[in-house]
């Protein structure tokens, strides 16, 4: 056994992992992983023995992240928009060409370009949110299934949001898309078991660029409403995603786990 730092920058105990790592020999694809939660998941997977393909729109940011993750031996970056069918085909093809297989898919990329309610939302914008946050995860899942994750008894994790668990009026369409993603997680889990498990995580506010406007300059005030009195980090979410992908979760499917410092209890 060896110890790895949990990486939260707080006083949590170090996690104990096996020497080879839970994901030794396995290959994962994480969408939207040049920074934030996706990057945290990719780094944790590599730390536990996996090789990982990461995606994102900005090729330069992606290349920098591949280098930080340990370079070409363990990471592959494929640039593109998560809702672009050609990009998806290319990414899945390149993972299999480079690493020979695909075991796991993490549908992480998501957008929220429309703060506010839905009564007056532009339908083009609403459609875009659904394309990126709901239909793209479905399409990536279909491709990963065709590429062989069934044969490897792999797993899919969808990154949702607490705004998909309980309604947040300011995040109307975004929350709607994440609620639908949790439903998709359930129906797909029924359809593709027992070979493949499909789960999700629903984060509360996590300190990334995406959520910065929700806590910048008032972090203590926002954290005060959380029973655990702090906001999340990408490592908090990565820990839960890795558990759901791992053999330790082999009897869990169709669930979206709230990883939120307890905020949805209120
Ligand atoms: N942070 C939170 O508080 C929070 C809470 C609940 C749920 N979430 C969910 O967590 C996921 C990740 O969010 P985050 O906070 O880690 O965001 P982030 O720090 O802004 O990172 C987003 C990542 O996704 C990529 N990306 C964004 N749009 C994309 C697109 N259309 N196609 C491909 N890649 C795209 C970005 O790279 P490029 O910009 O180069 O494309 C980046 O690598 C999202 O699904 C979000 O809804 C976040």
């Amino acid at each position: 056994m060896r110890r790895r730092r949990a990486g939260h920058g707080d006083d949590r105990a170090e996690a104990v992992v096996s020497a080879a790592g839970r994901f030794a020999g396995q290959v994962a694809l994480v969408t939207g992983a040049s920074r934030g939660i996706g990057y945290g998941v990719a780094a944790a997977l590599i730390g536990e023995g996996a090789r990982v393909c990461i995606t994102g729109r900005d090729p330069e940011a992606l290349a920098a992240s591949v280098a930080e993750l340990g370079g070409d031996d363990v990471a592959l970056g494929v640039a593109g928009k998560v809702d672009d069918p050609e990009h998806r085909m290319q990414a899945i093809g390149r993972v299999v060409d480079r690493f020979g297989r695909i075991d796991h898919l993490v549908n992480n990329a998501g957008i929220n370009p429309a703060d506010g309610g839905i009564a007056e939302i532009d339908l083009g914008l609403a459609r875009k949110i659904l394309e990126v946050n709901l239909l793209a995860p479905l399409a990536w899942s279909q491709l990963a299934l065709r590429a062989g994750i069934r044969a490897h008894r792999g797993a899919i994790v969808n990154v949702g949001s607490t705004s998909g668990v309980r309604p947040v009026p300011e995040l109307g369409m975004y929350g709607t898309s994440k609620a639908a993603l949790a439903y998709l997680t359930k129906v797909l889990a029924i359809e593709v078991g027992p070979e493949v498990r499909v789960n999700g995580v629903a984060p509360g506010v996590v300190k990334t660029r995406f959520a910065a406007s929700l806590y910048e300059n008032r972090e203590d005030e926002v954290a005060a409403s959380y029973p655990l009195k702090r906001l999340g980090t990408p490592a908090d979410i990565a820990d839960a995603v890795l558990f759901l992908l791992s053999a330790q979760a082999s009897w869990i499917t169709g669930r979206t786990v709230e990883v939120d410092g307890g905020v949805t209890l209120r």
Side-chain angles (χ1 to χ4, degrees):
M1 303 285 266
R2 73 182 161 82
R3 287 181 178 273
R4 85 176 159 83
R5 282 194 50 74
H8 297 269
D10 60 17
D11 59 358
R12 285 180 45 170
E14 289 181 340
V16 178
V17 295
S18 78
R22 285 181 293 180
F23 298 93
Q26 298 181 6
V27 175
L29 189 152
V30 186
T31 66
S34 60
R35 63 174 187 269
I37 292 170
Y39 181 87
V41 170
L45 281 166
I46 290 170
E48 293 206 35
R51 287 165 294 165
V52 178
C53 173
I54 61 172
T55 77
R57 290 165 300 184
D58 176 353
E60 283 176 19
L62 210 52
S65 299
V66 166
E68 267 174 46
L69 286 167
D72 296 343
D73 288 346
V74 291
L76 165 70
V78 182
K81 293 180 182 170
V82 80
D83 57 331
D84 172 359
E86 269 181 40
H87 162 64
R88 291 193 291 256
M89 293 283 288
Q90 191 203 17
I92 295 275
R94 284 191 57 196
V95 180
V96 176
D97 278 356
R98 168 75 78 82
F99 296 136
R101 58 191 282 158
I102 177 165
D103 300 271
H104 303 299
L105 169 68
V106 180
N107 282 309
N108 169 70
I111 56 167
N112 179 32
D115 276 357
I118 52 175
E120 295 296 335
I121 193 172
D122 173 79
L123 288 183
L125 204 51
R127 203 167 284 122
K128 180 71 179 176
I129 294 170
L130 291 177
E131 286 283 351
V132 173
N133 294 359
L134 179 67
L135 294 179
L138 172 60
W140 283 99
S141 300
Q142 291 175 335
L143 288 177
L145 287 162
R146 283 179 213 139
I149 64 171
R150 265 202 183 92
H152 300 303
R153 298 190 83 83
I156 298 172
V157 170
N158 295 319
V159 178
S161 164
T162 49
S163 61
V165 177
R166 59 170 188 188
V168 180
E170 316 83 72
L171 301 173
M173 196 61 215
Y174 172 76
T176 300
S177 72
K178 295 294 193 178
L181 184 63
Y183 189 91
L184 181 151
T185 299
K186 292 180 193 177
V187 288
L188 192 60
I190 295 169
E191 209 176 310
V192 301
E195 294 89 356
V196 177
R197 294 178 303 101
V198 188
N199 287 293
V201 290
V205 173
V206 177
K207 292 194 283 178
T208 68
R209 192 187 300 179
F210 178 81
S213 65
L214 299 176
Y215 66 85
E216 251 173 10
N217 303 322
R218 55 189 182 103
E219 186 176 334
D220 289 348
E221 184 195 326
V222 179
S225 65
Y226 282 63
L228 294 182
K229 303 299 176 203
R230 68 173 177 85
L231 301 184
T233 64
D236 289 317
I237 310 305
D239 282 345
V241 171
L242 263 65
F243 168 69
L244 291 170
L245 292 175
S246 77
Q248 275 113 4
S250 65
W251 210 42
I252 302 175
T253 198
R255 299 298 162 192
T256 293
V257 179
E258 289 146 44
V259 187
D260 65 352
V263 75
T264 45
L265 296 171
R266 289 191 193 273

